[in-house]
Amino acid sequence: MSNWKDLSKNTGLALGMLDNLKAEQDILQFYATFDNCEKLIIFDGFFSFRFLFESYAFNILNHHRLDGISWLFESSQTEYSQWFDTQSEKIYNKEYSHYRLVFLNHIVDVLSQKPPLIFDR
């Protein structure tokens, strides 16, 4: 499986709950709650995302060995990015990263040119 970099420590947030998500044009927004702190997470310039209920993601959960703190990961080469490269005929090859957001009940994979921005809401 891919090499994943844990970006969670840079956020100062622990595992949270996804409240809502919204996709418009090439902007993907997540509304989430972390220890009673509401945040807006924005991917500006995303290409694709997939949404999975945590209870069906045994391989993902086993791979990341979640500790209750880690929730945001980045990788450059995954099976999802390979799929996207095939679909797009590699016109964006190496111009994006695969981000994985793990919430209490959901896992979301995002292919984006830019890392997420996190704001208070």
Side-chain angles (χ1 to χ4, degrees):
M1 196 152 207
S2 310
N3 288 333
W4 289 93
K5 180 179 178 185
D6 187 349
L7 304 177
S8 307
K9 290 159 184 59
N10 298 337
T11 68
L13 301 169
L15 186 65
M17 176 76 74
L18 179 62
D19 300 323
N20 198 356
L21 68 88
K22 178 181 176 183
E24 247 185 81
Q25 303 289 340
D26 65 345
I27 298 173
L28 183 61
Q29 300 177 351
F30 298 93
Y31 300 86
T33 303
F34 299 87
D35 292 327
N36 296 321
C37 179
E38 295 181 340
K39 297 289 183 179
L40 172 61
I41 304 163
I42 298 176
F43 284 92
D44 185 3
F46 86 99
F47 293 129
S48 178
F49 77 95
R50 64 182 178 187
F51 183 88
L52 183 65
F53 286 100
E54 181 189 38
S55 57
Y56 306 120
F58 301 118
N59 288 332
I60 291 172
L61 297 172
N62 286 334
H63 177 74
H64 289 296
R65 295 187 182 104
L66 298 172
D67 56 8
I69 297 171
S70 298
W71 66 278
L72 178 60
F73 303 91
E74 177 185 19
S75 184
S76 59
Q77 190 67 337
T78 64
E79 97 294 327
Y80 187 33
S81 63
Q82 290 171 357
W83 170 84
F84 180 76
D85 288 343
T86 300
Q87 299 305 311
S88 65
E89 297 189 6
K90 297 186 179 184
I91 60 173
Y92 299 107
N93 196 19
K94 307 290 185 210
E95 293 181 24
Y96 64 90
S97 289
H98 179 172
Y99 296 93
R100 176 166 287 154
L101 294 85
V102 178
F103 297 103
L104 287 174
N105 296 316
H106 307 96
I107 296 173
V108 186
D109 288 320
V110 180
L111 302 180
S112 179
Q113 293 178 300
K114 302 175 191 172
L117 301 172
I118 303 173
F119 301 99
D120 291 331
R121 62 176 174 112

